[in-house]
Amino acid sequence: MVMEGLGVAKYHDALSASTWHLLRMSEYKAPNAAEKTVRYGSHQDTNLLSVVCQHQVEGLEMQTRDGEWVLVKPSPTSLVVMAGNALRAWTNGRLHAPFHRITVAGDITRYSAMLFSVPHYKVEVPDELVDDEHPLRFRPHDNNDFVRFCVSEEGGRHEDKLKAYCGV
């Protein structure tokens, strides 16, 4: 749907064939306190898309573009879908990869399931997404190299790791 909306659906099959998926289950222990405790700090995902299902205990917070942290409250039958930095780069910045974190409070442990779509190819902006109104924002890069940069000492010094790694 994203590719159709951007007019680049012709790339779907090739990208899909070179994308792998990771399902991860997470447990965030309850702090047994009324105050919120950060259990997983602020970050942007490095992958294409993340799909999150949280069960009964809230805790996913996203940062708005003006810096405010808001609690994500999906319905019990909804999933949260977030763009990661690989999709941000591939779409030439047209999609936003939100900073997010996990906080918990109270005495109930939080569980969630996350499905990550991870590119196994060179992330390169299609020519159709570069024009005078949208100049090239990110150089082509291998996503595995970008992930290694993100967890390196150098990468840790940058808030916007994608821009630091391959920004134009």
Side-chain angles (χ1 to χ4, degrees):
M1 290 184 328
V2 170
M3 292 179 174
E4 276 184 29
L6 293 172
V8 290
K10 70 182 184 181
Y11 295 101
H12 177 268
D13 290 344
L15 295 180
S16 183
S18 298
T19 298
W20 60 277
H21 304 280
L22 171 68
L23 177 66
R24 179 176 169 206
M25 308 294 285
S26 291
E27 174 185 62
Y28 303 96
K29 297 283 187 190
N32 294 316
E35 284 187 34
K36 284 197 279 186
T37 301
V38 175
R39 287 288 191 234
Y40 198 91
S42 173
H43 66 285
Q44 293 172 297
D45 292 339
T46 57
N47 54 305
L48 291 165
L49 287 175
S50 300
V51 180
V52 180
C53 176
Q54 55 188 22
H55 179 67
Q56 296 177 342
V57 178
E58 297 170 343
L60 175 61
E61 295 183 352
M62 285 192 197
Q63 189 176 42
T64 63
R65 290 180 194 228
D66 62 2
E68 180 184 352
W69 285 99
V70 295
L71 184 63
V72 177
K73 295 183 180 184
S75 76
T77 58
S78 298
L79 301 171
V80 177
V81 179
M82 291 183 285
N85 270 328
L87 191 56
R88 176 181 165 213
W90 193 85
T91 63
N92 200 29
R94 284 178 165 84
L95 292 184
H96 175 66
F99 280 93
H100 54 284
R101 66 185 180 192
I102 302 298
T103 61
V104 291
D107 58 358
I108 301 173
T109 297
R110 179 182 192 276
Y111 296 96
S112 63
M114 296 155 290
L115 178 65
F116 301 107
S117 296
V118 184
H120 190 64
Y121 48 83
K122 182 195 252 183
V123 176
E124 189 168 6
V125 178
D127 291 338
E128 296 90 334
L129 298 180
V130 179
D131 57 29
D132 290 340
E133 191 176 327
H134 302 94
L136 185 66
R137 295 186 58 202
F138 304 103
R139 291 185 308 279
H141 65 278
D142 179 275
N143 195 65
N144 293 329
D145 292 340
F146 172 60
V147 171
R148 281 189 282 280
F149 172 79
C150 289
V151 298
S152 72
E153 185 178 328
E154 170 66 18
R157 290 193 278 265
H158 301 278
E159 181 177 63
D160 189 339
K161 293 169 179 26
L162 183 65
K163 188 174 179 181
Y165 183 71
C166 63
V168 174

